[in-house]
Amino acid sequence: SLDGLGEFIFSRTRDAMVERIKAMPKGSWSNALVTDGYDEPVKLAATVTVRDAGVEVDFTGTDPMSRWGINCPIIYSKAYACYALKCVVAPDIPNNAASLAFFTVSSPVNILNAVRPAPVALRHIFGHMVPDLVLGAIAKAMPGKILAEGAGALWNIHISVRPVSGGSGRRAEVLMFNSGGMGARPGLDGLSATAFPSGVHTMPIEATEHTGPIVIWRKELRPDSGGDGEFRGGLGQVIEIEAIEGHEFDFSAMFDRVNHPAHGRNGGGPGVAGVVRLDDGTQMRPKGWQHVPAGRRLILQLPGGGGYGDPSKRSTEARANDRSKEYISENGK
């Protein structure tokens, strides 16, 4: 039987969590984020309360459910809230029933606690914003220890490619997972084009092109997109997509941080907002199904992460290194 070993692991985990939570400041701290939403901005709100018995997160104050599929079930919101807490309280302690038992998450019915039959297909958009929301509250309790806000939600895109009317060719459905920049950390720059909090990777562009009649002309870091600071926010990326000759495509945009970029921390500047457009300058919406005609290219400019600390303290050497890295990315050399 493994029961004895399991109890040993749980008891050690439980004792370690008690020790970590005991060392935290006690009280309640609140934070709010304004996100792009679908057809209007959406406010997310959280209050984090730390007691000797554990840590509570309450999403009271968050905007109501939406008629669009951007609602998030409470189980998804709870998972990402606990992830944020775990990163701060005990990143080195195993995730198990004993460690997670110290975290409780509650909410009235709202966009982070959607109930049936609310549409939830794009739950990841606001679910991936929950860690920044929770960390923003904890930053007030533990100044100088929490990273800046990042791009948050993945820039997922579903592409439906087909031959132009009357033509011949291939049809295909292509899904890409793309990441903006992480927020800068106390003592370190943010990671560029890196998924946080999801950790998901995407396929190489060669594999993506193999799945359907599309060409990805560019996939590179986006210069100057990270927020300024003593430690710079992670860079977003630029992705340029076109259907092959004789084809057109529709795409489902699942993006955020277009109208509300990531905030910096402790004096750091905001990350640069995302942009969705065609190569002729036509602006596209950050969410919903849209059309790209044959011969046009879709350009995605993913948002950067917020900076951390006073920008005047960033060293000359670090700034020179920033430009060198961006030049290499921009020119492919």
Side-chain angles (χ1 to χ4, degrees):
S1 173
L2 297 177
D3 290 347
L5 177 60
E7 182 52 40
F8 171 77
I9 292 171
F10 287 155
S11 64
R12 290 292 295 268
T13 300
R14 194 176 299 110
D15 292 345
M17 288 295 293
V18 168
E19 182 180 331
R20 296 293 177 85
I21 292 173
K22 188 178 295 184
M24 293 181 70
K26 305 301 185 292
S28 294
W29 300 269
S30 297
N31 186 41
L33 284 182
V34 178
T35 63
D36 294 351
Y38 194 100
D39 44 14
E40 59 184 3
V42 170
K43 184 184 80 169
L44 309 179
T47 298
V48 176
T49 301
V50 182
R51 300 187 174 93
D52 286 335
V55 184
E56 303 167 8
V57 178
D58 180 15
F59 293 127
T60 297
T62 293
D63 279 351
M65 291 189 298
S66 169
R67 68 190 181 99
W68 303 102
I70 56 177
N71 298 290
C72 191
I74 190 62
I75 193 66
Y76 200 92
S77 303
K78 180 178 181 179
Y80 276 105
C82 290
Y83 174 74
L85 295 173
K86 196 68 166 48
C87 286
V88 173
V89 178
D92 55 334
I93 293 175
N95 289 317
N96 57 38
S99 60
L100 296 175
F102 287 89
F103 304 144
T104 58
V105 177
S106 61
S107 177
V109 174
N110 55 37
I111 207 164
L112 291 179
N113 179 20
V115 296
R116 291 178 184 273
V120 296
L122 300 188
R123 58 194 173 277
H124 71 277
I125 293 176
F126 291 143
H128 289 177
M129 295 291 184
V130 166
D132 272 343
L133 176 66
V134 171
L135 290 171
I138 297 175
K140 298 175 183 179
M142 304 172 66
K145 296 184 177 181
I146 307 299
L147 79 168
E149 292 178 7
L154 295 166
W155 273 45
N156 292 349
I157 179 171
H158 177 191
I159 300 170
S160 184
V161 199
R162 61 182 179 273
V164 295
S165 180
S168 60
R170 294 173 57 196
R171 288 178 173 267
E173 305 297 321
V174 181
L175 179 63
M176 294 178 67
F177 291 178
N178 304 299
S179 307
M182 279 183 63
R185 298 158 287 178
L188 290 169
D189 290 347
L191 298 174
S192 297
T194 299
F196 177 85
S198 76
V200 70
H201 286 209
T202 194
M203 294 191 301
I205 57 172
E206 294 83 0
T208 300
E209 290 175 332
H210 186 70
T211 65
I214 62 170
V215 177
I216 300 173
W217 290 104
R218 281 197 296 165
K219 192 174 191 292
E220 61 190 29
L221 294 180
R222 184 184 178 192
D224 296 323
S225 55
D228 200 5
E230 182 178 5
F231 303 100
R232 190 183 68 167
L235 302 178
Q237 55 180 313
V238 180
I239 304 170
E240 190 169 328
I241 307 167
E242 182 183 10
I244 67 171
E245 186 176 355
H247 290 71
E248 60 187 0
F249 68 91
D250 294 331
F251 72 98
S252 176
M254 312 176 207
F255 316 140
D256 213 281
R257 298 287 199 197
V258 170
N259 299 311
H260 299 86
H263 291 115
R265 186 93 64 206
N266 285 15
V272 174
V275 177
V276 187
R277 64 179 178 87
L278 300 184
D279 59 337
D280 63 359
T282 302
Q283 294 296 309
M284 310 299 276
R285 303 191 312 275
K287 294 182 179 69
W289 278 100
Q290 296 158 86
H291 179 66
V292 178
R296 290 267 68 91
R297 298 181 183 182
L298 175 65
I299 299 177
L300 306 178
Q301 296 174 286
L302 276 64
Y308 189 97
D310 185 350
S312 67
K313 294 182 179 179
R314 188 163 181 82
S315 69
T316 303
E317 180 182 358
R319 291 191 182 279
N321 192 40
D322 293 343
R323 296 307 308 157
S324 174
K325 288 179 179 177
E326 291 171 4
Y327 178 82
I328 290 170
S329 166
E330 191 174 5
N331 292 275
K333 300 178 181 176

